Amino acid sequence: MSAVSNQLTVPKHVAIIMDGNGRWAKERGLKRTEGHREGMEAIRRIAHHAADKGVKVLTLYAFSTENWKRPPQEVHYLMKLPVEFFDRFVPELIANNIRVNMMGIKDKVPSSTLKAIHKAIDETKHCTGMVLNFAFNYGGRLEIVEAIKTIAQDVSDGQVAIRAIDEELITQRLFSNDLAPYSDIDLMIRSSGEQRLSNFMLWQNAYSEFYFVEKNWPDFDGKIFDEAILSYQKRHRRFGGLV
Ligand code: FPP
């Protein structure tokens, strides 16, 4: 097996664009929703695996603000999946000391989905281990727009001076502020062979390391995760400076 070290170089914040559920299903002659169902099983697998490796925050791109463009039946299914996921898996998340967090906007999300999400957040709020952060109804540009609005309001109210606007203030106004001190991503993984960001955590990915996987998300497993960590451990992060 791999020699992933649980020491210093384990990335603190790993984010995954879980792509390829539809293709996984198509390759098997199944409905796209079957791919999403298997994708949910992969979430369960990888959440525990990442927690066991010592990752502090695992962010998963579960539903983007652009995903509303999909057929209504698929959107409906994707809105129901969190309900089932949390219903079935919250007890084992708690047993593994994993805390659930959600990042995104409520607009258009059915109340039953919101209820399940908030229940999971509440039931795991005492957990002190890894944060399992779902980007749900999330868009990177939208997040920045919302941050700018709050700052503009504060400037207009005389609460914030323009000269006080800096990277730290913007970071604090993003949805990801809940993840502080780990809001910046260390390792960004995308499955299914696609190599793009798709409006995912644009600010927080500024200095992340990218790792692209050919396999579709439902086939993602601990071995692939370990390979990504090993690759990360071999890199020299310079953050624009020199080693
Ligand atoms: C991308 O594959 C995947 C999604 C848009 C949805 C991912 C959602 C889950 C895995 C389940 C979410 C569950 C919880 C608990 C929040 P795709 O459909 O774009 O695949 P394709 O590119 O092959 O068509």
Side-chain angles (χ1 to χ4, degrees):
M1 261 305 282
S2 63
V4 167
S5 150
N6 268 16
Q7 302 302 312
L8 292 173
T9 49
V10 169
K12 292 181 171 58
H13 186 170
V14 178
I16 309 183
I17 301 179
M18 310 179 288
D19 200 7
N21 292 349
R23 274 163 284 169
W24 182 93
K26 194 172 173 205
E27 281 163 12
R28 288 158 180 79
L30 300 169
K31 289 193 287 187
R32 291 179 55 80
T33 49
E34 293 298 319
H36 295 314
R37 165 161 290 280
E38 272 310 301
M40 182 179 71
E41 298 296 334
I43 291 178
R44 175 196 191 190
R45 212 163 44 232
I46 297 307
H48 290 297
H49 189 81
D52 294 346
K53 292 289 160 196
V55 169
K56 304 279 187 201
V57 178
L58 177 68
T59 296
L60 302 174
Y61 204 5
F63 192 87
S64 79
T65 43
E66 289 72 38
N67 286 151
W68 295 106
K69 295 179 203 152
R70 295 187 175 208
Q73 184 243 0
E74 183 171 342
V75 169
H76 179 71
Y77 192 85
L78 286 169
M79 289 295 139
K80 274 195 333 196
L81 268 185
V83 181
E84 179 180 342
F85 180 85
F86 294 128
D87 236 25
R88 284 173 57 197
F89 302 133
V90 160
E92 64 183 60
L93 295 178
I94 294 172
N96 209 358
N97 203 19
I98 295 173
R99 180 162 68 83
V100 173
N101 191 63
M102 199 64 61
M103 189 175 75
I105 56 163
K106 292 178 182 168
D107 290 20
K108 296 195 275 186
V109 179
S111 57
S112 53
T113 311
L114 289 175
K115 200 171 147 207
I117 290 169
H118 287 125
K119 186 163 173 267
I121 292 172
D122 192 54
E123 287 172 350
T124 60
K125 65 173 186 253
H126 63 285
C127 296
T128 54
M130 189 186 80
V131 175
L132 177 58
N133 179 44
F134 289 96
F136 194 80
N137 203 17
Y138 170 89
R141 288 183 173 181
L142 169 88
E143 181 186 31
I144 293 171
V145 168
E146 293 301 316
I148 290 171
K149 280 190 202 162
T150 71
I151 295 171
Q153 186 66 58
D154 284 354
V155 169
S156 155
D157 294 346
Q159 302 293 318
V160 169
I162 289 181
R163 66 176 177 283
I165 300 173
D166 57 11
E167 291 186 14
E168 196 185 330
L169 181 67
I170 294 174
T171 299
Q172 285 166 3
R173 299 300 177 97
L174 296 171
F175 300 152
S176 57
N177 193 45
D178 289 347
L179 310 171
Y182 306 117
S183 53
D184 277 344
I185 296 169
D186 297 303
L187 175 62
M188 212 288 295
I189 301 172
R190 182 169 188 150
S191 59
S192 89
E194 308 291 350
Q195 302 193 355
R196 55 176 172 266
L197 262 183
S198 302
N199 200 16
F200 183 53
M201 300 187 80
L202 304 175
W203 181 273
Q204 302 86 341
N205 265 308
Y207 283 104
S208 62
E209 297 292 329
F210 285 13
Y211 189 81
F212 297 106
V213 175
E214 287 301 317
K215 288 241 169 93
N216 291 321
W217 175 247
D219 288 330
F220 202 99
D221 58 18
K223 186 167 169 287
I224 301 174
F225 191 86
D226 288 354
E227 282 161 7
I229 306 258
L230 275 175
S231 166
Y232 174 87
Q233 289 173 334
K234 287 183 196 140
R235 305 199 190 169
H236 300 287
R237 301 182 79 193
R238 295 190 294 276
F239 300 94
L242 301 175
V243 222

